[in-house]
Structures are given as structure tokens and as C-alpha cells.
Amino acid sequence: MDGQEAQNKGDHATAFAQYKIACFDGNIGVTCNNLGAMAYRGTHVAKDLPLARRAYEKGCAANVASSCDVYGKMLKNGEGGPEDIAASLGPLTKACDGGRESACYNLGYLYYAGKGVAADLGKGRGLFGKACEGGNVDGCYALGLMSQNGQGGAVDLTGAAKAFQTSCEQGKADGCLNYGNALYGGEGVNTGILARTGDGGAVDMAMARKYFGYACKLGNQDGCNEAKAIPQQ
């Protein structure tokens, strides 16, 4: 019985043992990824971060994007072994290129902060944008901040408002607060007006109150305060 068959039948001990053999003796990338996931999460087996790191490393070498994603993150954060931010760049780049939005976010942060690589705000902003396009909530929020402040490119209030809205709708309290502020101030909310005049969009108090309320429900006290300050219409 191979590892996947055993796992499908609920025989996790056999699956784990078979994944180990297939990964380290057979160099089968997908089994390395499965082994890494079980060891990293402690799913039905004892959690073993050093083993997970080794497994994900082999999975990444076999061009499994999800393995590169987690391996890069483990190198970046020092999980299962020493921190090695410079070494994390390769796996994270491979994972991001393979469509892993979380890797794009982590890579964007490294370029933004200049950790393990020379700071490059333009590249960081582009990577946050790629992460956001893939649905990464933190990527959207970071993109919103950089677009709002003109970091790594021109000020883009419309793009900032859109990114904050996306992060809010995926549960990011600070994204709700920032989008509420954009609505309250009319900053970049109406694309047509911004394109015509460059002055932002129409103020929308009702929507601002709604998004401040979302921030409040997600635990952001500033959102609560701002929502209360806007009268009901």
C-alpha cells in the first residue's frame, strides 16, 4: 500500500512511513510535500519541524511549488533549523512564480524591509500586488499602504482603496479601518472622478460607517470609535 492510499484509508502511520521512503529513497517530490505537511502540522503524527524542513527542501528541489513556499518560510523564520533569510529567497521566488500567493507576500516583505537582499520598494510593491491578486489578505493590506503612501511607485488612491476593501472583506480589521477612512474622505473611491480630476472620489458616509463597523466587529477599537462618530442616515 502506498502512502496516499494508506492516508485515504485513514492509516496515517503507514502513510507517514511510506511517504518517508518515497521521499528520501525515491525522490518523489509530491510525497516529500505530503510528508512535510504531516510533520509540520503534527497531523496524526508527532510534530517534527526538522523533518518537515528536510522534506520540504526535497520537495522544492523537485519543483513542487507548495514545498518551496513552506521551505522558504521555514528558512525565513528559523523553523526546524537555523534562520537563513538569504537562502529563503530562492525557494520563495520559485513558489511565487508557481502561483503561491503567500510566498509572494513573504518575498515582498523581504524586498520591502531589505532583509537578506537589498531593499527594493518597487519590487516589494509588485510582489504585494501579485500576492493580493492571488487572494492573500496581508498582501492586499500591504499593497494598500504602499499605494496610499506612494512607496515603490506613484500614489494610487484608487488602487489603495480597492486593496483595503479586498483585505477587509477577507477579515483584516485594519483593512476595514483604512477603507472606511478612504470612504470617509473620498480618497480614490470613485475611479471615474479620480481619473478625470485626480482629486479622489465622492464622500460616502453610509459606506464609511459600514466599513468602520466591520473593523469594529473584527476587534479594531479605532473602527468602533469612527463608526460611532458618523451619525446614522
Side-chain angles (χ1 to χ4, degrees):
M1 186 185 301
D2 67 17
Q4 190 62 63
E5 183 183 358
Q7 191 166 23
N8 292 342
K9 291 182 177 180
D11 186 350
H12 302 291
T14 297
F16 190 67
Q18 290 299 318
Y19 286 149
K20 264 189 181 180
I21 294 169
C23 175
F24 294 118
D25 295 340
N27 295 309
I28 301 172
V30 67
T31 64
C32 296
N33 190 70
N34 292 342
L35 175 63
M38 291 183 78
Y40 185 83
R41 298 170 188 158
T43 307
H44 305 293
V45 296
K47 190 169 185 174
D48 187 338
L49 292 183
L51 174 61
R53 183 157 156 167
R54 287 173 52 221
Y56 281 131
E57 181 181 12
K58 284 187 71 69
C60 184
N63 297 316
V64 178
S66 53
S67 287
C68 293
D69 187 358
V70 186
Y71 179 52
K73 184 187 77 166
M74 294 184 81
L75 288 167
K76 171 179 168 284
N77 298 335
E79 296 179 281
E83 178 185 288
D84 192 341
I85 294 175
S88 76
L89 294 168
L92 290 174
T93 299
K94 189 184 287 190
C96 179
D97 290 344
R100 300 288 295 186
E101 72 279 352
S102 55
C104 297
Y105 170 75
N106 281 318
L107 191 60
Y109 171 76
L110 295 179
Y111 278 101
Y112 174 82
K115 291 194 171 185
V117 66
D120 186 334
L121 296 185
K123 192 156 189 175
R125 181 165 163 173
L127 287 162
F128 287 145
K130 191 171 181 179
C132 185
E133 287 172 6
N136 184 276
V137 62
D138 292 321
C140 291
Y141 183 68
L143 175 64
L145 291 176
M146 294 191 78
S147 299
Q148 184 181 59
N149 297 325
Q151 293 177 296
V155 170
D156 179 2
L157 297 180
T158 299
K162 183 179 179 181
F164 287 141
Q165 181 182 15
T166 301
S167 70
C168 173
E169 291 173 351
Q170 293 187 46
K172 184 83 171 176
D174 287 344
C176 297
L177 180 65
N178 279 277
Y179 185 56
N181 282 326
L183 291 163
Y184 187 84
E187 295 180 343
V189 177
N190 187 306
T191 305
I193 292 176
L194 182 69
R196 190 177 71 240
T197 68
D199 293 329
V203 171
D204 189 336
M205 293 293 193
M207 286 295 288
R209 192 177 197 281
K210 175 182 176 181
Y211 278 91
F212 284 140
Y214 287 161
C216 180
K217 288 178 182 177
L218 290 166
N220 187 296
Q221 186 57 45
D222 289 336
C224 301
N225 296 338
E226 294 289 353
K228 289 177 183 177
I230 300 175
Q232 292 272 15
Q233 296 181 349

